[in-house]
Amino acid sequence: MTEIFDEDLFLKGLEQRKGTLGADYVENNLAKADDFTRPFQEAMTAWCWGFGWGDDVIEPKTRSMMNLAMIGALGKMHEWEIHCRGALNNGVTKEEIRAIIHVVGIYCGVPQSLECFRVARKVLEEAGQL
């Protein structure tokens, strides 16, 4: 790991990241990291997951719901799919995912909510929830 980051924050982030996205997914991403991408993987793990997700102020389920709304608003559907799976891991229900997508539609437009519904259907089917 580069010297820029706090090892404790990285390790806290790594634990949270694995807990939400799944250990296999995270370990695969870290294993694929090379000299070009590793600094970003380390920074993102420490900052986003260690700092952003590392406190107890907001529970992981609520953070996942917030992420689905924000990432859906941004239209970053690859990341939305990953976080939709993570949201299920954190206890978000299909009914809550549907409600989040409704809000995305209200504030970001029907086409964006349709994209979210397409991806959510795929994730929910894979999880045996549809």
Side-chain angles (χ1 to χ4, degrees):
M1 192 161 85
T2 60
E3 296 176 26
I4 299 172
F5 303 107
D6 179 321
E7 180 77 16
D8 292 336
L9 195 58
F10 175 82
L11 293 173
K12 178 188 269 188
L14 188 60
E15 179 181 349
Q16 182 61 51
R17 189 176 176 199
K18 287 179 178 182
T20 296
L21 302 179
D24 289 343
Y25 174 81
V26 173
E27 289 168 9
N28 187 41
N29 270 298
L30 292 173
K32 287 182 189 176
D34 56 21
D35 290 341
F36 184 64
T37 60
R38 187 171 296 106
F40 181 76
Q41 283 288 326
E42 293 170 352
M44 188 251 329
T45 300
W47 179 248
C48 299
W49 293 98
F51 176 77
W53 283 69
D55 62 46
D56 295 327
V57 177
I58 301 171
E59 65 184 48
K61 178 179 178 180
T62 301
R63 288 182 200 267
S64 283
M65 294 169 80
M66 292 166 54
N67 275 4
L68 289 180
M70 291 184 287
I71 297 168
L74 291 170
K76 305 300 183 189
M77 300 316 296
H78 176 76
E79 291 298 315
W80 200 90
E81 181 176 341
I82 293 165
H83 280 275
C84 190
R85 284 189 190 94
L88 292 176
N89 291 339
N90 284 336
V92 179
T93 67
K94 81 176 172 188
E95 292 79 15
E96 290 168 328
I97 291 170
R98 180 176 51 223
I100 292 163
I101 296 170
H102 291 168
V103 172
V104 169
I106 291 164
Y107 288 97
C108 303
V110 171
Q112 188 55 40
S113 64
L114 292 173
E115 287 294 316
C116 290
F117 271 117
R118 280 187 202 98
V119 174
R121 175 171 292 284
K122 175 185 174 194
V123 170
L124 291 167
E125 285 175 350
E126 290 172 356
Q129 295 192 30
L130 280 183

